[in-house]
Amino acid sequence: MFSYFQQLPLPTLVTQHQPPGDGLAGLPVIFYTDSPTTQTFTVDIRGFTVTIEATAQQFTWHTGDATGQIVTTDPGQPYPDHTIEHDYRSGSYTAYLTVTWGATFTVDGSAPADVPGTTTTDGPPVTFDVLQARTELTNPFD
């Protein structure tokens, strides 16, 4: 069953980040994905109808900086309910998401059973800049 699971066209989940566009040094960048985290496939295996339900079990957020990665069991949320954030220094960064998928299967409507093992997919990279904000004194009476 595992070999069938590995060959499924599992989706590559897209990394979303906030703020959109450039980030600011000193303010965290929020990560999340709003891609589907459950997929159902029906395949014919030797005349049996097998339904495989794949579920994202682990999310590895590759931050693109020296700290490496953040590993979570949830897909994150956008602001203000965010759960995954990362602080950056100024510079340009490329981040992406690796998802570890697990699955269950049924044969002709039987009780679900676990597919042994997991498989992973890498989402497309997202590149963004983190800028250093500079203060500037102004005269409010001008």
Side-chain angles (χ1 to χ4, degrees):
M1 184 55 59
F2 182 66
S3 63
Y4 289 100
F5 173 49
Q6 283 185 304
Q7 295 172 18
L8 293 174
L10 292 168
T12 55
L13 276 55
V14 176
T15 300
Q16 303 288 343
H17 66 92
Q18 289 178 321
D22 297 334
L24 286 175
L27 293 176
V29 172
I30 297 167
F31 289 114
Y32 67 97
T33 186
D34 52 10
S35 301
T37 58
T38 303
Q39 295 285 305
T40 302
F41 301 90
T42 302
V43 294
D44 180 71
I45 301 175
R46 298 182 187 156
F48 294 98
T49 300
V50 178
T51 302
I52 301 172
E53 182 170 286
T55 303
Q57 295 179 336
Q58 181 175 289
F59 302 84
T60 303
W61 307 88
H62 302 273
T63 60
D65 67 2
T67 61
Q69 56 195 24
I70 302 166
V71 179
T72 66
T73 56
D74 75 272
Q77 296 284 329
Y79 179 86
D81 301 319
H82 58 285
T83 56
I84 302 156
E85 61 182 36
H86 185 66
D87 290 319
Y88 287 94
R89 294 178 179 215
S90 61
S92 184
Y93 299 95
T94 299
Y96 69 97
L97 174 60
T98 298
V99 177
T100 302
W101 298 87
T104 60
F105 71 97
T106 60
V107 179
D108 288 336
S110 67
D114 289 335
V115 173
T118 59
T119 191
T120 60
T121 57
D122 288 335
V126 59
T127 300
F128 54 92
D129 293 326
V130 175
L131 307 176
Q132 180 68 49
R134 291 184 174 79
T135 57
E136 183 177 310
L137 293 175
T138 60
N139 183 343
F141 301 106
D142 282 346

